[in-house]
Amino acid sequence: EAQLVESGGAVVQPGGSLRLSCAASGFAFDEYTMQWVRQTPEKRLEWVSLISWDAANTNYVDSVRGRFTISRDNVKNSLFLQMDSLTTEDTALYYCARVGNFGHYFDLWGRGTLVTVSS
Amino acid sequence: EIVLTQSPGTLSLSPGERATLSCRASQTVSSNYLAWYQQTPGQAPRLLIYGATFRATGIPDRFSGSGSGTDFTLTISRLEPEDFAVYYCQQYGRSFTFGPGTRVDIK
């Protein structure tokens, strides 16, 4: 069964850093574009970042560009999100998601990992 | 940025009734790249519909999607108890944006 499991969420002070991980299993991870999506405390969903199957292409929402870095390890079937210069606006539940076969919708989601930025 | 507006905010219905949810885009969604997701409490969103009309694997046929351009609809023909949830639309034609969601409550 295809599965994504996120980890690394924590409570961090403004200006701090955090690294999220996502472990994939049950499918050919190295064939898929992967993304991070976050859900705010108000339950709004926001796309954060994507990375192509070979890591050749990455993209970010404007609010995190320059502060967050997405990466992947296709040998270890893992996706990462390095988050620097965190602000309270980054507080959210972060989901790892797989891109579908016919477009950039998300056909598989993890259960999420919670990031809280607070002093 | 393409802004998605969903209506109504909350829909109160009884099991067995038909639910009609609307998603309107501020600009044309290219190639009808519009998806619908269902989220129940404590769970991740689940893909229901992609490409405006295509049901995802394992999704019951009581769920259907329609529409094009800027106006899209998700219809649940007969509500089952497990269908009471929050539903989000998402466009992936130009970057990726989500609507604010429609909550379907038990009346």
Side-chain angles (χ1 to χ4, degrees), chain B residues 14-58:
Chain B
S14 301
E17 288 194 296
R18 181 185 188 90
T20 303
L21 287 67
S22 173
C23 176
R24 178 163 291 178
S26 61
Q27 305 169 44
T28 296
V29 177
S30 61
S31 304
N32 292 333
Y33 283 159
L34 193 286
W36 290 93
Y37 301 87
Q38 176 194 66
Q39 188 175 36
T40 53
Q43 301 296 315
R46 175 174 73 142
L47 177 68
L48 300 175
I49 301 287
Y50 64 92
T53 62
F54 300 96
R55 266 189 304 276
T57 302

Side-chain angles (χ1 to χ4, degrees), chain A residues 39 43 95 104 106 109-110, chain B residues 37 39 44-45 88 90 92 96:
Chain A
Q39 187 163 34
K43 302 301 184 184
Y95 292 106
H104 281 63
F106 311 116
W109 298 64
Chain B
Y37 301 87
Q39 188 175 36
Y88 296 93
Q90 177 230 342
Y92 50 99
F96 319 102

Side-chain angles (χ1 to χ4, degrees), chain A residues 19-51:
Chain A
R19 189 187 196 217
L20 306 184
S21 300
C22 171
S25 60
F27 67 98
F29 178 74
D30 59 1
E31 294 182 3
Y32 286 86
T33 293
M34 298 296 296
Q35 313 220 28
W36 289 97
V37 178
R38 63 188 179 185
Q39 187 163 34
T40 69
E42 299 77 25
K43 302 301 184 184
R44 180 174 55 90
L45 289 166
E46 179 182 42
W47 168 73
V48 174
S49 181
L50 72 81
I51 186 168

Side-chain angles (χ1 to χ4, degrees), chain A residues 44-95:
Chain A
R44 180 174 55 90
L45 289 166
E46 179 182 42
W47 168 73
V48 174
S49 181
L50 72 81
I51 186 168
S52 60
W53 64 274
D54 58 356
N57 295 300
T58 60
N59 202 0
Y60 302 88
V61 67
D62 286 346
S63 61
V64 310
R65 187 173 286 116
R67 300 188 298 120
F68 289 11
T69 304
I70 192 171
S71 61
R72 65 190 296 160
D73 183 336
N74 284 347
V75 174
K76 296 183 177 180
N77 290 338
S78 294
L79 178 71
F80 305 101
L81 186 67
Q82 177 66 40
M83 309 166 66
D84 298 321
S85 303
L86 286 161
T87 75
T88 56
E89 298 296 306
D90 297 316
T91 293
L93 184 62
Y94 284 73
Y95 292 106

